[in-house]
Every structure is written in C-alpha cells, then in structure tokens.
Amino acid sequence: MEQMFITPIIPLDSIGNIGSDKKVTSGNAGSTVFQDVFREAIQNVKQTDKDLTTQEYLLSTGQIDDAHTVPAAAAKAQLSVELLTALRNKALESYNEMMRISI
C-alpha cells in the first residue's frame, strides 16, 4: 500500500512584515516601502495565476493525481487578487483623505 504525503501549505508573507527591515522616516525613501508592498502583491497575483494555469493544464491532460489541488490553486489566486484590490482601494481612500485635509 502506497503512503500518501500531504504537502503542507506555505504561508504567504504578511503585509505587516513587508519592509520591516527598513527603517524609513520620510521623504523619497518612504515611497520605496510603499512601492515594495504593491510590487510584491502584483508579483503574488502573477505567480498564483501562473500556478493555477499550470494546475489546470496538468488536470486537463491527466498528469495530476489529486484533483483537489486545482480548486486550492484557484482559491489562492482569487485571494491574491482580492488582496491586491483591497490594497488599491485602501491606497485610494488614503489619498482622498489626505486631499480633504485643509492646511
């Protein structure tokens, strides 16, 4: 009897940990942390979409033994898109709020 091995889920980097090694106070250096957050989120969307496409191809050609990996990859891709959308929305809300501040 063949033993089945369950591959553990690898956690994604938390948004709170992004740029934590950089000590930024203000100025142009502060924008690099902001850029890194979005760059990493966009890269995450691209990677999860690529993984989903690969899993769908393997399933359609019969090269995959466990069909549950396709819905898991689809859920991961959907969550990464939702995270990117939420980041965009929060950035726009913050920008609009700063524009409303009267000096």
Side-chain angles (χ1 to χ4, degrees), residues 53-67 69-70:
T53 305
T54 303
Q55 292 295 327
E56 288 173 340
Y57 173 77
L58 291 174
L59 180 66
S60 65
T61 57
Q63 299 178 21
I64 196 168
D65 293 331
D66 47 351
T69 57
V70 177

Side-chain angles (χ1 to χ4, degrees), residues 12-22 33 36-37 40 83 87:
L12 298 174
D13 290 336
S14 172
I15 294 175
N17 295 334
I18 296 174
S20 61
D21 56 343
K22 301 174 187 172
V33 174
D36 290 344
V37 168
E40 186 172 329
L83 174 66
L87 284 172

Side-chain angles (χ1 to χ4, degrees), residues 5 15 18 26 36 43-45 55 60 67 73 75 79 85 94-95 97 101 103:
F5 179 73
I15 294 175
I18 296 174
S26 65
D36 290 344
Q43 190 62 31
N44 190 14
V45 169
Q55 292 295 327
S60 65
L79 284 173
T85 305
S94 299
Y95 175 78
E97 188 67 30
I101 295 174
I103 299 176

Side-chain angles (χ1 to χ4, degrees), residues 25 50 64 73 76:
T25 55
K50 183 179 174 184
I64 196 168
K76 188 186 265 190

